[in-house]
Amino acid sequence: MKVSKKLVLPILIMSLCLLSILSPIRANAAQDIMISLDGQRINSDVSPYIIPKVNVTMVPLRVISEGLGAIVTWSQTTRTVTISGKGSTISMTNGQTEAVVNGSRVKLDNSVQIRQGRVMVPIRFVSVHLGLQVIWNQKERSISLKSKTAVPTVPDADVSGMRGAWVSAVYNLDWPTSKSYGNEEQQKEDYKRLLDDLQGMGINAVFVQIRPAADALYPSLLVPWSAYLTGVQGQAPSYDPLAFMIEETHRRGMEFHAWFNPFRAGVNADTSKLAENHVALQHPDWIVMGEDKERKKMPYINPGIPEARQHIIDTIMEVVNNYNIDGVHLDDYFYPSNMIFNDDAAFLLYNNRNVLDRNEWRRDNINQFVRQLGESIHKAKPNVEYGISPFGVWRNSSVDPTGSDTRASVTAYDSMHADVRTWIRNGWIDYVAPQLYWSMTFSPARYDKLADWWANEVKGTSVDLYIGHSPYKLGKEAGWESSQEIINQLRYNQIHPEIKGDIFFRAENLRSNPLGLIEALRTYYEVK
């Protein structure tokens, strides 16, 4: 039978249309997301799907009610779903970017959706608030839910250890505020209120940033007054803020640790507002202008120059010798990560040990600084505690088998040239406080795996371990949908006797009470 040429084109078009309809169905079928609870597969009559960009997996309510055993109600009038189970009540309304969890508002990456008459909800958000651990396998496109929390049975909370909070002065973040410039009384009242608030939730130590950017929140013969006190760098306030803070902190029975940014020389490349005695003007040959991928520049004191390192030690010792502080605390401002850092001249001029590898030379510079500072502190005042808070991942096991089971894009050893292991094994520091700013479910750098690694790293040494926590992430990232994440981390720490306490970043992120964190801490720390 001959087919008319006039019919060929319509038939061809119809065939292509049919293929275009069937292809997505086959593709979707091939890429269905599998969900399981404690190893048992949860069936769904509607295929789960992923919302692009935010990477949120949506599932029908039936998965929540039948698969997870939660009580689910849907109000067609308000288009609100309410899910109850395991002591939590979650309410989400179609089109709204926040949920209500146990009375508190929590940010949503993606709200309730209605597809083909079915109510679809974000599986991770719901599962976390029902006390489940969520593990996503990209290769297998599967979601594994575990009803047994990742936090094992642990002893009662040890409320006698370090319970610290970082108090940031840079950018006037925590104290002093920009509204208090030059106002002694307001700054004093603000600090007293800050201490009262922190102590009221169980905090017993503050780590106050008294050297934000090669400047000082105290009268110094070596560096200028900080602009964060008066609005103008080099302009003296009408009192000694450091003496006042130490007195008020000790009056409450709390510890005061002086926090120094060691090698940061400024927060931007503008030198026009610097005081005459700022290091960038006094010793421009010591300054390297780091430059990131967006060509943003930030000045650093070059760790490769011995005189520059000694200058920083001298500024720190000025405080150690003149003030009754409980500790000297350094953060992770050593060599900058992910920045162009041109130290060619210093490498040629100050490479007295003839180290061939630039990275090894940089690590040696930081090692010398860390060791010499510790020796100076302990010689002057043996009772002053000396510690450092490095980036939370030392090295990935993919690079070094003795590193942690992580996939971090930045590491302390390789990116910041901070060989923390050497500091610990040689006893150059009294404590280490790694910044473990990830959740228990963040697979590239899981909190529990890192806490295990650091505990093992200090085991058998004289170095104590404090853990840096990130309440600033609560309600803002996946895995941080509940303040219970912080409590779970604190409880997990109890497994390891090497962990002697915790430090929270930062004061205002505690005081703002994200997701009811204050009450959770008060309960955990047994605050009366």
Side-chain angles (χ1 to χ4, degrees), residues 66-276:
E66 297 182 5
L68 305 188
I71 299 173
V72 173
T73 58
W74 166 255
S75 171
Q76 184 63 36
T77 304
T78 61
R79 299 172 78 82
T80 298
V81 60
T82 301
I83 301 168
S84 301
K86 298 188 178 180
S88 293
T89 300
I90 309 161
S91 294
M92 295 177 286
T93 302
N94 176 233
Q96 292 191 3
T97 58
E98 290 184 324
V100 177
V101 181
N102 296 331
S104 298
R105 304 196 73 82
V106 182
K107 183 180 177 181
L108 282 170
D109 288 327
N110 202 86
S111 187
V112 177
Q113 292 188 346
I114 301 175
R115 288 279 186 96
Q116 298 178 343
R118 297 297 183 92
V119 179
M120 310 292 288
V121 295
I123 181 66
R124 176 180 290 276
F125 184 88
V126 173
S127 298
V128 167
H129 286 286
L130 292 178
L132 302 174
Q133 183 182 0
V134 183
I135 302 173
W136 164 252
N137 187 314
Q138 176 66 35
K139 184 177 180 180
E140 298 180 359
R141 291 181 60 79
S142 66
I143 297 174
S144 299
L145 307 176
K146 295 184 179 181
S147 59
K148 295 180 180 179
T149 176
V151 182
T153 302
V154 297
D156 292 337
D158 178 8
V159 298
S160 62
M162 167 66 70
R163 306 191 301 275
W166 278 290
V167 180
S168 297
V170 68
Y171 305 118
N172 296 112
L173 290 174
D174 293 327
W175 186 92
T177 65
S178 57
K179 294 180 180 179
S180 70
Y181 281 162
N183 188 329
E184 175 183 345
E185 291 307 313
Q186 182 176 345
Q187 288 179 358
K188 287 182 174 180
E189 288 304 312
D190 287 348
Y191 186 74
K192 290 178 184 177
R193 189 159 46 250
L194 180 147
L195 289 181
D196 290 341
D197 289 348
L198 292 176
Q199 190 172 41
M201 63 184 83
I203 300 302
N204 62 15
V206 288
F207 293 72
V208 182
Q209 189 179 35
I210 65 171
R211 176 191 166 87
D215 51 8
L217 269 68
Y218 54 91
S220 171
L221 298 176
L222 301 172
V223 295
W225 280 103
S226 174
Y228 299 120
L229 286 163
T230 63
V232 179
Q233 190 177 89
Q235 181 175 315
S238 55
Y239 72 115
D240 183 340
L242 181 54
F244 165 76
M245 289 189 290
I246 292 171
E247 181 181 357
E248 283 297 325
T249 305
H250 287 166
R251 189 194 308 277
R252 289 163 175 76
M254 302 171 72
E255 292 183 9
F256 185 96
H257 294 254
W259 165 18
F260 297 84
N261 289 110
F263 292 94
R264 181 167 67 185
V267 295
N268 55 55
D270 183 11
T271 60
S272 64
K273 297 180 181 179
L274 298 180
E276 291 182 357

Side-chain angles (χ1 to χ4, degrees), residues 430-481:
D430 297 315
Y431 71 84
V432 62
Q435 301 165 25
L436 304 193
Y437 295 168
W438 302 282
S439 72
M440 302 280 268
T441 56
F442 184 66
S443 58
R446 263 178 46 185
Y447 177 88
D448 51 343
K449 288 185 177 181
L450 282 165
D452 295 345
W453 188 89
W454 283 101
N456 186 66
E457 201 66 16
V458 303
K459 185 178 295 184
T461 73
S462 62
V463 177
D464 289 334
L465 174 60
Y466 305 145
I467 299 295
H469 297 271
S470 53
Y472 72 90
K473 286 190 173 182
L474 286 172
K476 296 180 180 178
E477 293 185 12
W480 296 91
E481 296 91 350

Side-chain angles (χ1 to χ4, degrees), residues 2 25 27 93 95 117 191 197 221 228 314 321 361 398 421 527-528:
K2 293 183 178 180
I25 295 175
T93 302
Y191 186 74
D197 289 348
L221 298 176
Y228 299 120
D314 291 342
N321 290 322
W361 173 75
S398 59
R421 170 174 286 172
V527 177
K528 304 299 182 182

